[in-house]
Amino acid sequence: MHSLWRTLGRGTLRDIALVCLADAMVGAAFGAIAVSGGLPPWVPVVMSLLVFAGGAQFAAVGVVLSGGAPIAAVAAGLVLNARLLPFGFAIGDVLGGRWWTRLTGAHLMTDEAVAFVLRDDDPRRRHAAFWACGLGLFVSWNAAVVLGALAGRGIGDTDALGLDAAFPAVLLALVLPSLAERNVRNAALRRACVLGALVAVAATPFLPAGLPVLLALIGLVLATRAPAPLPDREVR
């Protein structure tokens, strides 16, 4: 812990703790929704341990509770988690070279952990931020899901709590400071974010949950487009 404190600093550790708290509230809501919808308490608990992907878990449980087949629930989770593939390429350096660290890191990879990695350029801090956030989220999420599942039978309308807003609020708070920096790279990222957001909002009324987020990756076209070189001027 002392080593993490020195490497990451008080501010980053505080941010990670707040993210864990926010995600714990969502995890409790997931456990409560699953059980209050009629699933046995062990289902959300085992799913959280083995899958550990909040959006995919909500999508899969939503399909099952609406009467869909288990294969459709699995497909919904896989489609939603497809967004993690480019994340793996972006932060591959923090996972280490051993197969078991890469396997563990892939299981712990979340939007929040990736956001902490991408906001820093120092390799040591990137590595520490990923593992601190990933492990912290794994523990807090699963503990909260257990509590939510136990309390699920006594909760009526879980939507009235508004806990589903915690995910986007946390990610927005993490991303905005980095995008606010004035440089050429962030100008391209801001354009990509705007385009991706517009595509996702436009597609939301027409597509199932999770697919608009994948379509937002269209914004990466602007982020990866290299700026046109300035024309050479003749020296007179």
Side-chain angles (χ1 to χ4, degrees), residues 61-230:
V61 167
V63 170
V64 171
L65 293 183
S66 62
I71 188 64
V74 172
L78 288 176
V79 169
L80 186 54
N81 262 14
R83 74 189 190 283
L84 296 177
L85 181 60
F87 289 171
F89 291 113
I91 67 165
D93 59 301
V94 307
L95 302 183
R98 297 183 177 89
W99 68 268
W100 58 271
T101 61
R102 288 188 172 274
L103 187 62
T104 304
H107 188 57
L108 297 178
M109 189 182 302
T110 60
D111 301 296
E112 296 88 344
V114 171
F116 275 108
V117 173
L118 295 182
R119 74 178 191 175
D120 207 313
D121 294 326
D122 180 70
R124 237 176 117 229
R125 288 174 57 84
R126 284 163 58 89
H127 181 272
F130 175 81
W131 290 103
C133 184
L135 290 171
L137 284 175
F138 185 80
V139 172
S140 57
W141 174 269
N142 282 283
V145 169
V146 172
L147 294 177
L150 294 176
R153 297 189 183 279
I155 298 177
D157 185 10
T158 53
D159 291 339
L161 300 177
L163 297 178
D164 55 328
F167 266 141
V170 166
L171 291 176
L172 188 62
L174 289 174
V175 171
L176 280 180
S178 297
L179 293 179
E181 296 178 6
R182 299 288 181 178
N183 55 56
V184 175
R185 183 185 68 176
N186 279 2
L189 288 177
R190 282 192 291 270
R191 292 193 297 269
C193 288
V194 170
L195 176 61
L198 291 176
V199 170
V201 170
T204 295
F206 309 104
L207 296 177
L211 291 183
V213 177
L214 295 179
L215 284 181
L217 294 175
I218 292 173
L220 292 176
V221 175
L222 291 181
T224 55
R225 183 179 299 171
L230 294 175

